[in-house]
Amino acid sequence: MKNQKMYEPDDKLIYIIRDNYNILQSLGSFGINLGFGDKTVREVCEDQGVDTYTFLAIVNFTINGYREYDDADRLSISTLMQYLRASHDYYLDFQLPFIRKELVSALDEKDNLARLILKLYDEYAHSIRAHMKYEEKTVFPYVNDLLDGKLTGNYDIDTYSKHHGQTDVKLRELKNIIIKYLPSDGLHNNQLSATLYDIYNNEEWLSQHAQVEDEIFIPAIRRLEAKSKQNDVSVKISNMISQNPENNEALSEREKDVIVSLVQGMTNKEIADHLCISINTVITHRRNIARKLQIHSPAGLTIYAIVNNLVDISSVKL
């Protein structure tokens, strides 16, 4: 159950941590170092160069789900960006490798099922890394341009929002497989239980991270766009893709068919026969798919197909 207290600038930060120790992870994302004594939130934020209003907006949202602010225009975009970038670093550089080490320690890597578990985790890690790197490569520079007063004609935050879907499908799948199907002895059972506990915490953290993006970051950027652009700031995704082929979203229906066939284990010849096209056309489609998605491996395409609902996980041979 969420703590219902609404925290204020003059509350002592140590008291907030005492009530909600989970925000310790958030402190690092804001660049707030420990050792702040009995200072208030306002004093700590001012000492460490963090916008107090934005800090409390995120803390009150993540702890209690508060979505309303007295003045949403007071939110600091630069503080939000700092928070999201540091959160990415924390998850990609620490949490993902940490969980994998736990899995390796808890599993017998000589066992085929254990190797499959690690494969599923690596596929999940690839998926979440691609998602966060997309934000860093495309979304964050776009926002920085907005802050600098530069209008970009082929992108807007709604384009990002439409494709900001769930990225934890594989994590849920991995968790359920371990619980339901993976036998273990006493020692490995304890290790697996501890690893599962951390996976559950990671799942909650990732969900919370996505909610901050959806409920605070994206609306804040929409307001920034409204100030920076004239009446119509929306740009169609197809237009964005045609002007910037480096982006990875605009697959044709036939290319999607090729991906589904590849996921099902078909060879180029089998795909050609199945879709009534030539082998050369299949090769061309595969080359275009790799260029658009920046994904070359069958496992990566499988993850893409599952996450984008091209195939059902139950139909994939693991």
CSV table of all heavy atoms in Angstrom, one decimal, residues 290-313:
chain,number,residue,atom,x,y,z
A,290,ALA,N,17.0,-5.7,-41.6
A,290,ALA,CA,18.2,-5.5,-40.8
A,290,ALA,C,18.6,-4.0,-40.7
A,290,ALA,O,19.0,-3.5,-39.7
A,290,ALA,CB,19.4,-6.3,-41.3
A,291,ARG,N,18.4,-3.3,-41.9
A,291,ARG,CA,18.8,-1.9,-41.9
A,291,ARG,C,17.8,-1.1,-41.1
A,291,ARG,O,18.3,-0.2,-40.3
A,291,ARG,CB,18.8,-1.4,-43.4
A,291,ARG,CG,19.0,0.1,-43.5
A,291,ARG,CD,19.0,0.5,-45.0
A,291,ARG,NE,17.7,0.2,-45.7
A,291,ARG,CZ,16.6,0.8,-45.5
A,291,ARG,NH1,16.5,1.9,-44.8
A,291,ARG,NH2,15.5,0.4,-46.2
A,292,LYS,N,16.6,-1.4,-41.1
A,292,LYS,CA,15.6,-0.6,-40.4
A,292,LYS,C,15.6,-0.8,-38.9
A,292,LYS,O,15.5,0.1,-38.1
A,292,LYS,CB,14.2,-0.9,-41.0
A,292,LYS,CG,13.9,-0.3,-42.4
A,292,LYS,CD,12.5,-0.7,-42.9
A,292,LYS,CE,12.3,-0.2,-44.3
A,292,LYS,NZ,10.9,-0.5,-44.7
A,293,LEU,N,15.7,-2.1,-38.5
A,293,LEU,CA,15.6,-2.5,-37.1
A,293,LEU,C,17.0,-2.5,-36.4
A,293,LEU,O,17.0,-2.5,-35.2
A,293,LEU,CB,15.0,-3.9,-37.0
A,293,LEU,CG,13.6,-4.0,-37.5
A,293,LEU,CD1,13.0,-5.4,-37.2
A,293,LEU,CD2,12.6,-2.9,-37.0
A,294,GLN,N,18.1,-2.6,-37.2
A,294,GLN,CA,19.4,-2.8,-36.6
A,294,GLN,C,19.4,-4.1,-35.8
A,294,GLN,O,20.0,-4.2,-34.7
A,294,GLN,CB,19.8,-1.6,-35.8
A,294,GLN,CG,20.0,-0.3,-36.6
A,294,GLN,CD,21.1,-0.5,-37.6
A,294,GLN,OE1,22.3,-0.8,-37.3
A,294,GLN,NE2,20.8,-0.3,-38.9
A,295,ILE,N,18.7,-5.1,-36.3
A,295,ILE,CA,18.6,-6.4,-35.7
A,295,ILE,C,19.0,-7.4,-36.7
A,295,ILE,O,18.3,-7.5,-37.8
A,295,ILE,CB,17.3,-6.7,-35.0
A,295,ILE,CG1,16.9,-5.7,-33.9
A,295,ILE,CG2,17.2,-8.1,-34.5
A,295,ILE,CD1,15.5,-5.9,-33.4
A,296,HIS,N,20.0,-8.3,-36.5
A,296,HIS,CA,20.4,-9.2,-37.5
A,296,HIS,C,20.2,-10.7,-37.1
A,296,HIS,O,20.2,-11.6,-37.9
A,296,HIS,CB,21.9,-9.0,-37.8
A,296,HIS,CG,22.2,-7.6,-38.2
A,296,HIS,ND1,22.2,-7.2,-39.5
A,296,HIS,CD2,22.5,-6.5,-37.5
A,296,HIS,CE1,22.5,-5.9,-39.6
A,296,HIS,NE2,22.7,-5.5,-38.4
A,297,SER,N,20.2,-11.0,-35.8
A,297,SER,CA,20.1,-12.4,-35.3
A,297,SER,C,18.7,-12.9,-35.3
A,297,SER,O,17.7,-12.1,-35.1
A,297,SER,CB,20.7,-12.5,-33.9
A,297,SER,OG,19.9,-11.8,-33.0
A,298,PRO,N,18.5,-14.2,-35.4
A,298,PRO,CA,17.1,-14.8,-35.3
A,298,PRO,C,16.5,-14.5,-33.9
A,298,PRO,O,15.3,-14.3,-33.8
A,298,PRO,CB,17.4,-16.3,-35.6
A,298,PRO,CG,18.6,-16.3,-36.4
A,298,PRO,CD,19.5,-15.2,-35.9
A,299,ALA,N,17.4,-14.6,-32.9
A,299,ALA,CA,16.8,-14.4,-31.5
A,299,ALA,C,16.3,-12.9,-31.4
A,299,ALA,O,15.3,-12.7,-30.8
A,299,ALA,CB,17.9,-14.7,-30.5
A,300,GLY,N,17.1,-12.0,-32.0
A,300,GLY,CA,16.7,-10.6,-31.9
A,300,GLY,C,15.4,-10.3,-32.6
A,300,GLY,O,14.5,-9.6,-32.2
A,301,LEU,N,15.3,-10.9,-33.8
A,301,LEU,CA,14.0,-10.8,-34.6
A,301,LEU,C,12.9,-11.5,-33.9
A,301,LEU,O,11.7,-11.0,-34.0
A,301,LEU,CB,14.2,-11.4,-36.0
A,301,LEU,CG,15.1,-10.6,-36.9
A,301,LEU,CD1,15.3,-11.4,-38.2
A,301,LEU,CD2,14.6,-9.2,-37.2
A,302,THR,N,13.1,-12.6,-33.2
A,302,THR,CA,12.1,-13.2,-32.4
A,302,THR,C,11.6,-12.3,-31.3
A,302,THR,O,10.3,-12.1,-31.1
A,302,THR,CB,12.6,-14.5,-31.8
A,302,THR,OG1,13.0,-15.4,-32.8
A,302,THR,CG2,11.5,-15.2,-30.9
A,303,ILE,N,12.5,-11.6,-30.6
A,303,ILE,CA,12.1,-10.7,-29.6
A,303,ILE,C,11.3,-9.5,-30.2
A,303,ILE,O,10.2,-9.1,-29.7
A,303,ILE,CB,13.3,-10.1,-28.8
A,303,ILE,CG1,14.1,-11.2,-28.1
A,303,ILE,CG2,12.9,-9.0,-27.9
A,303,ILE,CD1,13.2,-12.0,-27.1
A,304,TYR,N,11.8,-9.0,-31.3
A,304,TYR,CA,11.0,-7.9,-32.0
A,304,TYR,C,9.6,-8.4,-32.3
A,304,TYR,O,8.6,-7.6,-32.1
A,304,TYR,CB,11.8,-7.5,-33.2
A,304,TYR,CG,11.0,-6.4,-34.0
A,304,TYR,CD1,11.3,-5.0,-33.7
A,304,TYR,CD2,10.1,-6.7,-35.0
A,304,TYR,CE1,10.6,-4.0,-34.4
A,304,TYR,CE2,9.4,-5.7,-35.7
A,304,TYR,CZ,9.7,-4.4,-35.4
A,304,TYR,OH,9.0,-3.4,-36.0
A,305,ALA,N,9.5,-9.6,-32.9
A,305,ALA,CA,8.2,-10.1,-33.3
A,305,ALA,C,7.2,-10.3,-32.1
A,305,ALA,O,6.1,-9.9,-32.2
A,305,ALA,CB,8.4,-11.4,-34.1
A,306,ILE,N,7.8,-10.8,-31.0
A,306,ILE,CA,6.9,-11.0,-29.8
A,306,ILE,C,6.5,-9.6,-29.2
A,306,ILE,O,5.3,-9.4,-29.0
A,306,ILE,CB,7.7,-11.8,-28.8
A,306,ILE,CG1,7.9,-13.2,-29.3
A,306,ILE,CG2,6.9,-11.8,-27.5
A,306,ILE,CD1,8.8,-14.1,-28.4
A,307,VAL,N,7.5,-8.7,-29.1
A,307,VAL,CA,7.2,-7.4,-28.4
A,307,VAL,C,6.2,-6.6,-29.3
A,307,VAL,O,5.3,-5.9,-28.7
A,307,VAL,CB,8.5,-6.6,-28.2
A,307,VAL,CG1,8.2,-5.2,-27.7
A,307,VAL,CG2,9.3,-7.3,-27.1
A,308,ASN,N,6.3,-6.8,-30.6
A,308,ASN,CA,5.4,-6.0,-31.5
A,308,ASN,C,4.2,-6.8,-31.9
A,308,ASN,O,3.5,-6.4,-32.9
A,308,ASN,CB,6.2,-5.5,-32.7
A,308,ASN,CG,7.2,-4.4,-32.3
A,308,ASN,OD1,6.8,-3.2,-32.2
A,308,ASN,ND2,8.4,-4.8,-32.1
A,309,ASN,N,3.9,-7.9,-31.2
A,309,ASN,CA,2.7,-8.7,-31.5
A,309,ASN,C,2.6,-9.2,-32.9
A,309,ASN,O,1.4,-9.4,-33.4
A,309,ASN,CB,1.4,-7.8,-31.1
A,309,ASN,CG,1.4,-7.4,-29.7
A,309,ASN,OD1,1.7,-8.2,-28.8
A,309,ASN,ND2,1.1,-6.1,-29.4
A,310,LEU,N,3.7,-9.5,-33.5
A,310,LEU,CA,3.7,-10.2,-34.8
A,310,LEU,C,3.5,-11.7,-34.6
A,310,LEU,O,2.9,-12.3,-35.5
A,310,LEU,CB,5.0,-9.9,-35.6
A,310,LEU,CG,5.3,-8.5,-35.9
A,310,LEU,CD1,6.6,-8.4,-36.7
A,310,LEU,CD2,4.1,-7.8,-36.6
A,311,VAL,N,3.9,-12.2,-33.5
A,311,VAL,CA,3.7,-13.6,-33.2
A,311,VAL,C,3.4,-13.7,-31.7
A,311,VAL,O,3.7,-12.8,-30.9
A,311,VAL,CB,5.0,-14.5,-33.5
A,311,VAL,CG1,5.3,-14.5,-35.0
A,311,VAL,CG2,6.2,-14.0,-32.6
A,312,ASP,N,2.8,-14.8,-31.4
A,312,ASP,CA,2.4,-15.1,-30.0
A,312,ASP,C,3.6,-15.9,-29.4
A,312,ASP,O,4.1,-16.8,-30.0
A,312,ASP,CB,1.1,-15.9,-29.8
A,312,ASP,CG,0.7,-16.0,-28.4
A,312,ASP,OD1,0.0,-15.1,-27.9
A,312,ASP,OD2,1.0,-17.0,-27.8
A,313,ILE,N,3.9,-15.6,-28.1
A,313,ILE,CA,5.0,-16.3,-27.5
A,313,ILE,C,4.8,-17.8,-27.4
A,313,ILE,O,5.7,-18.6,-27.5
A,313,ILE,CB,5.3,-15.7,-26.0
A,313,ILE,CG1,6.5,-16.4,-25.4
A,313,ILE,CG2,4.0,-15.9,-25.2
A,313,ILE,CD1,7.7,-16.2,-26.1
